[in-house]
Each structure stands twice: as structure tokens, then as C-alpha cells.
Amino acid sequence: MTLIKSISGIRGTIGGTIGENLTPIDAVKFAAAYGAWLKQERNKETYRVVVGRDARISGKMIQDLVMNTLIGMGIHVIDLDLSTTPTVEVAVPMEHADGGIILTASHNPKQWNALKLLNEKGEFLDAVEGAKILELAEDQSIAFADVDHLGKITKNDAYVDLHIEAVLELPLVTKKAVASAGFKVVVDGVNSTGGIVIPLLLEALGVDVVKLYCDPTGHFPHNPEPLKEHLTDLSEAVKKHNADFGIVVDPDVDRLAFMDENGDMFGEEYTLVACADYVLSKTPGNTVSNMSSTRALRDVTEKHGGSYEASAVGEVNVVQLMKKNKVVIGGEGNGGIIYPELHYGRDALVGVALFLSLLAEKKITVSALRKSYPDYYMSKKKIQLTPELDVDGILSAMETRYQNEKLTTVDGVKIDFSESWVHLRKSNTEPIIRIYTEAKSQDEADTLADKFIEEIGAIAGIQ
């Protein structure tokens, strides 16, 4: 069991011992640290924080602990209850709140939960701010409010509708064209809040929706990471219902993947590529993704006359580079679309609306759309960390071994070969080393990944 404190928030498994897992004591401790940080940063008379959660089994417990900790500090809470990560991000500035917390462990299995922390813009905290919160979490002198100055909880269940409305009002979302296209779509909501929100969005766009695992019980019917091997039921449902395509989101609805009309994966990496292709065709400009994402985004961006740059992995890193480069669309190759026209956060709702608008315009099948993009194939593998593994030493050894290749070391080690690349890095969200590769065929990508796993094993003495 594990507790991970990183740029992606405070993430851990439910149960176990304090300090090693996400126990109730740890939830209170980090919520109090966030509250103390907020007061230092904002320095106001009154404070407001938006709180929402995905449908995880532990969600209600963790949310109650977090909200009551905040009101114990004299901070008012806007309770969105069952919500999505992008919905909370949108709600923070709409509420003129001082920050936000989402209770979700994103793609992790059901035993995990996490506190994702937002600033007053509804954006994730950066590394410096996160480090300050970790420091405050060890501070025994955090002050709580007296009885006359406790915060209050206000429930607000309007923000899912407000979020959908904001997406529909985007100029590039062509509601009439989408409705006229007569799409039928199967939605896999992995029994979390995507099963509520995505069908509502699709119905508002005039799409015929077939629901699969859209009951928000938190009992995930399969591994919630939206990868091909987890989505056999969605594939069968798309074919059974003669649907135009399938949609799957992760439990907190910031990652998005599509399945074509044949029940084959469109490719999680190509979610951003397709949405960027559409946006760039209307609003030329630059793009950003992280360095574990496909080269196809670079190719599509350059086709439209823009420039592409890669950031370190982590949404906050992508957003920082997007702002610096004034990009029109960006995100992460894991199906995370960031469209600044609405907000600086990964948002599956925006991705769905842009993708449908693209399909309605092109009047082609999803499989034909995929064939219109450059062919790259990615392998995503991992090595489980154990206490004896010296990750920094392993990465340093790989850097030395491949010093004559094009290297990037801002986030682990990325090695760019002429026709392929490999990225080795320690995960922010799981106790693993990630090995991502991309090549011109799946066999080449898998072979390259296996080669590097063997090399790491040899260096670490685990093979």
C-alpha cells in the first residue's frame, strides 16, 4: 500500500497505517495544510474553496473529512458532490473562489483516492506551491477557527449543467451540424461521474447515446485506465449497436479515448491530434504536449503552419508551457485535451464536443479519420519499484549509455532516434518507472520497450 506526494497531488491507497496510506488522518492533515497555504497566499478576511469528487467508493468519506477540516479552519466550502475534475476547475473562477479540491485518483484502481489541489484560477498548483503544502503538513502549529468563526458548507449541483453549457457556447462547437449528422455513440462511463456528464453533453448535442457502465457506483467494471486491453466490452457494444463510435473516459473525466465504428481503438494518443487538427484549421497557432506524447501532434501542427514544443510530464508543466507559447490547443497524449478558450485544464467534455464537430464537418467515419493522420505506434510499459531500486542511478546510467543520441533530461531521460523515441521516467502517480516508446509499427515500439526494460534490469541487477 502506498502514499505518493507529488506535483499531481496527494495520492494513496485507502486503509492501512498513517503516513503510508491515504488514511482519514492523512486526508485531514493534507486538507489542513492546503487550507493554511491558501490563507498565506490569499491573505483575506474570508475564504471559499470548491470541492467535488468522482464516484469512488471512498469518495464520500474522504470528501467529508476534507470539507469538515476546511470549515474547521474557517474556510467556506462550495460542495459539488459528484462531479468531474474539469467541472471543479471551471467552477472555481465562476464562484470567484480561492481554490478547489477534487477527490479522485484519476485512472488508478478503486482502492486509490487522492486530493488534487487547485489555485484561484482553477488550475493545478505548481511544484513550488506543492512543496510548501508538504512542508505545512508537518507543521503542528496550524491554527483552526474558534466556534464563532467556523466555515459553512453550501451545496451546489448546478455546475455540471453550467460546464456543459459553457462547452456548447464555444464558437468551434457546431451544435446544429452535430445534431444533423445523426450520430449514435456508445459511452463507457466506468461507473463513475463520466457516466452522468458525457451522456448529458451528447444528448444536448443531439446524439443518440447508448450507455455502458454509466451508473456512478464506484465499482469499476474493468481497470479504469482507458487502454485497449480494458475495453473489450465497449468494442463489442459499438459493433452490437452499429454505433458510429465509442467513447470512454477515466473516473474523473479528464482523459478521453475513442473507439471507431469497427470496435477498434482510435488511439488514445490521437484524441489530442484530432482535436488539434480541427482547432488549428479554424484558429492557426502553436501547440504543446508532454514529451511522452506522440510525434503526430507535431506533424499536424506543422501542417497547419504552427510550431510544436514538448513539456515535462504533468498537467501543470503542460499548462505553463502553453501559456508561455500562447498556444491555441494542447494537452497530454493520454487523452487529455486542454483548450484555453474555456480553461487551462484537461477536459474530456471539450474533447468530445470538438471531436464531434470535426466528424460532422468532414462527414467521414472515425476509422477513415484515423487513417488521415501520420502513423505512429506507441508502447506504454512499466517496471514496479522496489526499495532496492535506485531510479536516479538507473536513469543516469541510461543517459551515459546513450549520450551520443539526442537526449532530453528535464523529466527522466528521453532518447530521440531518427524513426523512434523512448522516454524513461519515474511516475508522479504510481510507484513505477514508466517506459514509453514510439515507432513506425507496433512491433518496433514493443521491441524497443522490451529492449530498454532488459537494459534497465541488467543495470539494476534484477534480471
Side-chain angles (χ1 to χ4, degrees):
M1 308 300 266
T2 308
L3 184 67
I4 299 173
K5 297 167 276 191
S6 77
I7 196 170
S8 298
I10 312 303
R11 185 177 300 229
T13 45
I14 299 299
T17 56
I18 298 167
E20 295 181 6
N21 310 85
L22 188 59
T23 68
I25 301 298
D26 292 290
V28 169
K29 173 178 159 181
F30 289 110
Y34 175 75
W37 171 82
L38 206 65
K39 288 184 172 184
Q40 288 181 6
E41 286 291 306
R42 304 290 283 163
N43 193 24
K44 302 165 59 188
E45 288 294 318
T46 60
Y47 303 88
R48 289 152 51 83
V49 172
V50 178
V51 180
R53 65 181 174 93
D54 69 14
R56 288 171 187 275
I57 298 164
S58 62
K60 180 73 166 60
M61 174 190 74
I62 298 294
Q63 184 176 8
D64 286 346
L65 289 163
V66 166
M67 291 195 304
N68 282 294
T69 301
L70 293 175
I71 67 170
M73 300 184 76
I75 296 170
H76 301 301
V77 173
I78 300 97
D79 173 16
L80 305 194
D81 197 35
L82 284 174
S83 191
T84 77
T85 288
T87 303
V88 176
E89 291 171 347
V90 166
V92 170
M94 283 187 176
E95 280 285 333
H96 303 288
D98 298 287
I101 301 178
I102 311 115
L103 291 317
T104 173
S106 196
H107 62 274
N108 291 82
K110 69 177 183 178
Q111 67 268 30
W112 289 79
N113 213 326
L115 284 68
K116 289 187 174 183
L117 308 175
L118 306 176
N119 62 20
E120 78 283 1
K121 297 176 183 176
E123 298 168 13
F124 285 115
L125 306 189
D126 64 26
V128 173
E129 294 164 331
K132 182 62 178 174
I133 287 170
L134 296 182
E135 181 184 318
L136 286 166
E138 305 307 320
D139 187 349
Q140 298 298 312
S141 63
I142 290 177
F144 288 82
D146 61 42
V147 71
D148 293 319
H149 296 93
L150 297 174
K152 294 179 181 177
I153 297 175
T154 304
K155 288 190 73 73
N156 189 330
D157 59 4
Y159 274 103
V160 164
D161 291 333
L162 291 171
H163 186 184
I164 290 172
E165 186 178 301
V167 170
L168 295 177
E169 288 175 354
L170 291 167
L172 294 192
V173 176
T174 55
K175 301 182 287 294
K176 289 182 180 178
V178 171
S180 298
F183 292 117
K184 179 190 279 190
V185 177
V186 181
V187 177
D188 181 348
V190 71
N191 284 344
S192 190
T193 49
I196 302 170
V197 177
I198 299 299
L200 285 174
L201 171 67
L202 291 170
E203 288 161 4
L205 283 164
V207 174
D208 183 7
V209 181
V210 178
K211 296 181 183 179
L212 177 68
Y213 305 133
C214 286
D215 187 13
T217 61
H219 291 283
F220 304 145
H222 53 76
N223 185 307
E225 189 162 14
L227 303 177
K228 176 182 178 179
E229 57 266 30
H230 307 150
L231 302 175
T232 52
D233 290 350
L234 177 60
S235 177
E236 290 303 315
V238 167
K239 290 181 283 188
K240 174 184 174 183
H241 293 279
N242 197 28
D244 293 288
F245 62 98
I247 293 173
V248 62
V249 292
D250 66 341
D252 67 325
V253 202
D254 61 1
R255 287 176 63 176
L256 169 67
F258 297 109
M259 187 166 279
D260 73 16
E261 73 279 5
N262 302 312
D264 296 323
M265 290 300 292
F266 183 73
E268 190 183 32
E269 290 288 327
Y270 283 80
T271 300
L272 176 56
V273 174
C275 291
D277 184 30
Y278 177 64
V279 170
L280 291 168
S281 73
K282 310 297 182 186
T283 51
N286 304 325
T287 64
V288 163
S289 66
N290 70 44
M291 61 178 60
S292 278
S293 301
T294 180
R295 284 180 177 175
L297 180 61
R298 177 201 64 186
D299 296 350
V300 165
T301 303
E302 291 174 352
K303 179 188 78 171
H304 288 289
S307 63
Y308 164 81
E309 190 173 351
S311 77
V313 174
E315 183 172 324
V316 66
N317 298 319
V318 176
V319 166
Q320 286 173 348
L321 190 56
M322 286 178 68
K323 289 180 176 179
K324 178 185 174 186
N325 292 2
K326 297 181 174 59
V327 309
V328 294
I329 189 170
E332 297 188 288
N334 60 12
I337 306 299
I338 303 176
Y339 187 46
E341 185 78 12
L342 182 59
H343 70 120
Y344 277 103
R346 292 182 303 173
D347 190 329
L349 283 76
V350 168
V352 166
L354 293 174
F355 189 81
L356 281 164
S357 298
L358 172 65
L359 276 184
E361 177 179 89
K362 287 188 173 288
K363 297 181 172 61
I364 58 175
T365 63
V366 171
S367 61
L369 178 66
R370 174 63 185 83
K371 287 175 183 174
S372 72
Y373 298 125
D375 264 335
Y376 294 101
Y377 296 85
M378 192 170 284
S379 178
K380 299 182 178 182
K381 300 194 178 186
K382 52 195 175 185
I383 297 174
Q384 197 72 28
L385 292 184
T386 56
E388 62 271 13
L389 274 184
D390 176 10
V391 178
D392 292 336
I394 289 169
L395 295 178
S396 178
M398 297 304 286
E399 184 181 346
T400 300
R401 181 173 291 194
Y402 289 93
Q403 59 187 306
N404 294 325
E405 303 291 344
K406 182 182 176 183
L407 293 177
T408 309
T409 57
V410 297
D411 182 12
V413 177
K414 184 174 184 180
I415 308 161
D416 273 290
F417 305 105
S418 60
E419 296 292 321
S420 61
W421 56 259
V422 59
H423 189 196
L424 313 169
R425 59 181 291 275
K426 187 176 178 180
S427 172
N428 290 329
T429 58
E430 298 177 72
I432 58 175
I433 298 175
R434 295 193 184 278
I435 300 97
Y436 283 10
T437 62
E438 187 173 66
K440 290 289 189 176
S441 75
Q442 193 61 57
D443 282 346
E444 288 177 81
D446 290 337
T447 299
L448 187 61
D450 290 339
K451 172 180 179 289
F452 273 84
I453 288 172
E454 286 180 15
E455 289 187 22
I456 289 170
I459 290 168
I462 56 175
Q463 287 185 340

